[in-house]
Every structure is written in C-alpha cells, then in structure tokens.
Amino acid sequence: MILLLLLLAATVLLNVVFVATWLSGLERGGAGALLQKLQMLLTPGLAAYGLYTAIRIRRSVPLGESGLRDASKAVTELVLQVNPPRRVDVRLGKRLGSRAYVTGAPRKPIIVLGPELLALHSMPGERKAVFDAVVRHEVAHVHAGDLWWYQLATVLRFSNLSTGFFALLVLWLNVLFDRGDVTSFLVSTFRLAALTVLTELIARAFLRAREHSADLHAAQFGVEGLLAAVQAHETAQTRSVVRTWLRRHPGADERSQALTNPMRLLASPIGQIFLGAAAAGAAFVTLQDLLLNGSSGDKSTPLITGVVIGIPLTLFTAFDLWRGTWQEDRNRLRPLLTAAALLGGLVIGSHLPLYTRIFDEAPIGIPIAPSTLLPFAVGTLGLCWWLDALSTAWRRIDPGASRMPSFLRYAVPAACVAGGWLFAVLWTWSARLRGLYLGCPTEEAKNLAICRSPTPQSDIALKVATDFGFTFWSILTVLVVAATLVIPHYLRTRTLRPVAVALVAVLVVLAALWTTQSSPPPLDRARAEFRLVLKTETPAPGDCTPPLDSNVKCSADGNERLTLGPTVLSTVDIADAVAEQTTTGYAIRLEFTSDGQRHWEDTTRANVGRFIAFLVNDELLAAPQITQPLTGASAQLPGPFKTLDQAKKVADAIRGD
C-alpha cells in the first residue's frame, strides 16, 4: 500500500511540475513564475478536498440527535469493541441508504451510516451480523489511521484533475491563437486523458488495498458476518471487471476470496505492475525533459533517470514477485507475465506525456523498434527471473518466512544495484536512439557521422556497450546477482565468512582498477578545428558558390570570403562542448584539455588583432577577432544558431554524443 501511495504521489507531482515548468516557460518568468504555477495547480486540489468533505458532513446529522437511540447505543458498543485511538463522531446520512463511509479530519474522524443500514441493528440473525460487520469495517479505517491516507490520496487526485484542466485550457488557447492545429490538440487531449486515467487507476488500486486491510481487521471480530455483508451486495454489476476497477471498493467476489484466503493478497494483480511501469515510462520522459532543458544529447541525463526511476520500479516489481513466491498457489508463469506487463507499461507510458519543450509535438517515448524492444524484453525478463529465483531460493530454506527481515536486508540493496544499472543501460540506449530518430532528419545533423552511417542503430549499441560494458558498476552488478543466488545454498551447511571476505577483496580490486583507468575517447566526434584567417574580402557574385577550395570559406550570410591558414587547434584539444544562451543569441563554450589550453593561449598571444575561424566538419561557424591574449581553460564562440537546440546539436557532435 505504501508503494502504491508513493507511486501515486510521484506520478501526480511529476505531472504537476512538468506542466508548471511548461506554463512558466511560455511566459519566461523564471523561478517566480514556476512557483506561482505550482501553487496554481496544487491549490485547487486542497480546496476541492475541503469543499468535498464539508458537503458530505453537512448532508448528515449527529446520530444522537436523530432519535435513533437504540441504533446509537448499538454503534457505540461496536466502537468500544474495536477501541480506536481517537474519539469517533457517528452521524446519520439520510441519503445513504444501506451504505456507510468515514470522513472528517484525521484527528476528528466521522462515521456516516445510512438509515437502511441502521435499521438492521434490531433484526435477528444474519442481518444483525451484517450491521455489526459494516460498522466494525468503518471503525477499522479509523483505527488504522486511514483518514490520513485518504486525505492525501484525494488531494492528489483533485490536483491531477486540476493540472489536466489547465493543460487542456492552454492547449486549446494555442489552437485559438493559431499556435497549434486541431490534430495536435486532439492527440494531446488523448494523451492528457490517458495520463489522468492512469493516475486515477493507481489511486483506485491504493484505495482498494486499504479496503482489504480494513476487511481483515474487521474480520478479527467475526468473519461470518462480514462475509454475509459482502455477499449481500454481490450482484452482476459488482462482478464486472471494469466496474470493480473503476470503483473504490473491491468487488464482492474479490473481497470474499481475500477474507477466506488472505494469502491471495500477497500476490498483487499483474495490472498493478502494468500501472507502475506505465507511470515509470511517463516519468522517464518527463524527468528527462526537465533535466535536459533543451538538449537531447546530455549522456548523464538518461543515466540519472535510469537510476532515479529504475530503482523504485525494480523495488515495486520485486515486492510483487517476492510476495507471490510465498503464497500458497504460486504461478510459475508469473515472472514471464510480470516482464510482459513491465515492457508493455514502459513503452505505452513513455508515449503519454503531452509534449516536450525540445521537439514540440515530435514523437516521444521509447522507440517502438525491434532494436529497442528486444533489449528491453531481454532485460526485463532477466530482471524478473532473477528476482523470482532469488526469493525462491530463500523460500526453500525458510518456508515459513521466519527470516523475512534478513532476506529483505540483503535482497533490497541487491535489487537496487541490479535494477538501477539495468534501467540506466536500457534508458540510455532508448534515449540515444530516440535522439537519432529526431535529430538526423534535420538539416543541422546532416554532417554528423552517426547520421551518415549505414548502421546507426548498431553504432549506438556499440557506444552504449562501451559506456556500460566493462565498468566498476557493471562488474559489481554481475557479482551481486551471482552472490544472491549462491548465498542461500551456503546458509544451510556452512558459514558465509569466506565468501564475504572474497567478495570484499574483489570489490576493492575492481574499485582500484576503475579509479585508475583512463576513460575511452568518445566515438564519432565531429571534426572541430581552429584556423587563422589569412585574408578577408567581400565576395564577388558566384565566389561563394560551391565547390570552394578547402582553404576558402564564406560566412553564413555570404557577405565575407575568408582565406584560411593551417589548423592551430583540433578536436583532440577539446575536452567538452556546451551550448549556452547569451544576451545576443546562442553560442558554444569549449572546454580545452591541458595541451589544448596551452595551444590556445600561445595562439591568441601571438596573433592579437587577427581573426581566427572555428569550423566543425568543414562548416564555418564563427570567425571572431582576437583582441587580446586569452587565458583559461574555456572559450565562448558565437555561431549562426537560431535556436538553442541547434547550438546543442553542434556541441553534442563535438563531444561525440
């Protein structure tokens, strides 16, 4: 239940932050506008919850003032049996019929009962048992502190609806002011509706779990009456799958099975895994967009998102599979079904966010291509199989789950390491392939080596394998996975001390090798070079028409014709390149290596007053004048960039991303 609540909160807050960032970006108001939009999106949720609670309370009257003294006395006796930690106010809801609910502030809980339900208190046999069971169920909510959870879940649900409303309003205003078309509006509306439904389904799953918890608590005082109450409301509608998914309360069949066999609750439905994966897929695109801030080539961004989102998703999946291992009717196909739900949810959820600030309405999400889906399928299946095998090995030595705290103490960190590394790899692969699909068709990327390659997907796979292949974390992950499968077998007959000492020694050696190894040079770096300008002249008609001599370049506007000298600095002298926004436009800041810094200082010191040309793949980007000797490890160069995205793509090419 805690994982479902965290999943709900993360999904809503990511949507709210993303929409707030989007709206504040439209106004270019900075941090102040962002805080204002966050307040604007979250306040309606709080206000709606307060209004909703007030209306429900006003439609009821205190049970002691209703004249139903016998019913009030019977309810008081039942409340004393459960003994909640706080005083409970019982009220009569005249329009409730045979229903009941808990409302009010967490410190002042209120139970509202319908008149038809109260009428059962004086009836004999099964009807009196139904009355007792329903009242105990509602008091169990108070005893468990569910009002805190209900309040938080309801505020999040209302905030999600208000966020969707504001986003829909802005999208429609874009259409009215000719900033968008009807087709993109309809697509965005569909995505918005899907995100809203996804969040609502997660909220419903959480609330249904709380209902099961209250059922089990109330069953301690007599399960027969509770079963009778549940089965009395069993109809064809409550057995409908769609209806039970969209209603807060579980269906009668589901509640009956949970009461007669509580072990069934240990294995969460596969649908919850799908919801969690879909939320993770949407969060992956949203968080990556927030971190990139206009660039698709930052290689640290998919790594961060893979760890930040991959670890919680792994734990969510792990607890589902671990609970299923200890249930009585364990399904051997569960790892396969869980992997299928993970893959489907990740792919579908990644296509749900409205749009990105980078590419507007361009296709987003995990690319639906065999080269991407196959690694995701293999990775998720391997992860699910390992998690299931891990708990199965422990169950053989601990059938009664008496060592569960010890199991979790070792299994949870192992799952975090393996899941974080796996999803970092998978999402890095997905992000780079998506950047290829979006970037290569543009005019700015036509000279990039990766876009000219006949096998770009294989090149990306090689680059990802180089980044993640033989590293400290990859070796650590393999060792952790192997150790978790071996350790349970050693627990039966021998001590783990030699294994632990050997493992620590291997990790120390790997850490030493990892810290001393030099990083491999980037692949597919664009050819960047600095060349001194020997002569500048105004071109005659046709002088700038290709083909030109390799030492002759023309400015982007065609107003200057430059004759260039030999190369004084090249790609090997550049350690990093970052795009920046300046007061006059967009530029690229170059970070030099130690040798490159020395060459740059010597060149600028010896050529004060002359012009120096900066070229990338033989294309002239800038030719500034050297007005003074330049020192330092970086230099900012303006270019003919119309957008920040154009500058970032050139910077990415220089870095080799």
Side-chain angles (χ1 to χ4, degrees), residues 78-304:
L78 292 172
V79 171
L80 292 176
Q81 289 180 13
V82 181
N83 191 24
R86 301 189 182 278
R87 181 181 177 275
V88 179
D89 183 15
V90 183
R91 302 175 70 93
L92 169 66
K94 298 181 179 180
R95 302 180 183 179
L96 279 184
S98 61
R99 295 181 293 121
Y101 59 82
V102 181
T103 187
R107 297 184 181 275
K108 296 181 179 180
I110 299 173
I111 295 179
V112 185
L113 306 174
E116 297 179 13
L117 175 65
L118 289 170
L120 300 178
H121 83 280
S122 59
M123 298 183 181
E126 183 179 282
R127 296 185 179 183
K128 176 63 165 60
V130 169
F131 168 77
D132 293 348
V134 173
V135 174
R136 290 193 184 107
H137 174 91
E138 301 304 330
V139 179
H141 282 305
V142 178
H143 192 279
D146 283 351
L147 278 174
W148 292 101
W149 306 111
Y150 284 137
Q151 183 175 2
L152 179 57
T154 305
V155 169
L156 290 173
R157 291 166 63 195
F158 282 128
S159 298
N160 181 60
L161 291 175
S162 64
T163 300
F165 171 78
F166 280 114
L168 184 63
L169 178 62
V170 173
L171 289 171
W172 178 244
L173 290 176
N174 281 343
V175 175
L176 292 180
F177 289 100
D178 295 329
R179 296 178 181 174
D181 53 71
V182 177
T183 302
S184 62
F185 170 76
L186 293 177
V187 173
S188 298
T189 302
F190 173 78
R191 288 175 173 167
L192 185 62
L195 274 176
T196 304
V197 172
L198 172 65
T199 307
E200 183 65 17
L201 288 178
I202 295 173
R204 295 288 177 172
F206 166 73
L207 294 174
R208 286 157 64 84
R210 299 303 304 179
E211 292 298 321
H212 280 306
S213 177
D215 274 351
L216 295 177
H217 191 279
Q220 298 176 4
F221 301 92
V223 70
E224 293 79 9
L226 188 55
L227 281 173
V230 169
Q231 293 167 357
H233 294 81
E234 184 176 358
T235 64
Q237 287 183 327
T238 59
R239 286 194 298 267
S240 169
V241 175
V242 176
R243 183 172 177 83
T244 55
W245 257 108
L246 295 179
R247 294 182 73 241
R248 173 186 300 177
H249 294 273
D253 287 342
E254 183 182 347
R255 296 179 70 177
S256 299
Q257 293 170 1
L259 288 170
T260 55
N261 181 17
M263 292 294 290
R264 294 183 63 87
L265 293 179
L266 291 177
S268 302
I270 296 296
Q272 290 187 10
I273 293 294
F274 177 82
L275 293 179
F284 161 62
V285 176
T286 302
L287 182 60
Q288 180 171 266
D289 183 75
L290 294 174
L291 291 175
L292 284 175
N293 194 26
S295 171
S296 61
D298 185 3
K299 59 184 179 181
S300 65
T301 295
L303 180 64
I304 295 174

Side-chain angles (χ1 to χ4, degrees), residues 608-630:
V608 175
R610 299 182 63 180
F611 291 87
I612 187 169
F614 176 57
L615 299 91
V616 176
N617 287 336
D618 290 331
E619 181 181 353
L620 178 66
L621 295 184
Q625 186 179 23
I626 304 174
T627 58
Q628 61 182 358
L630 300 176

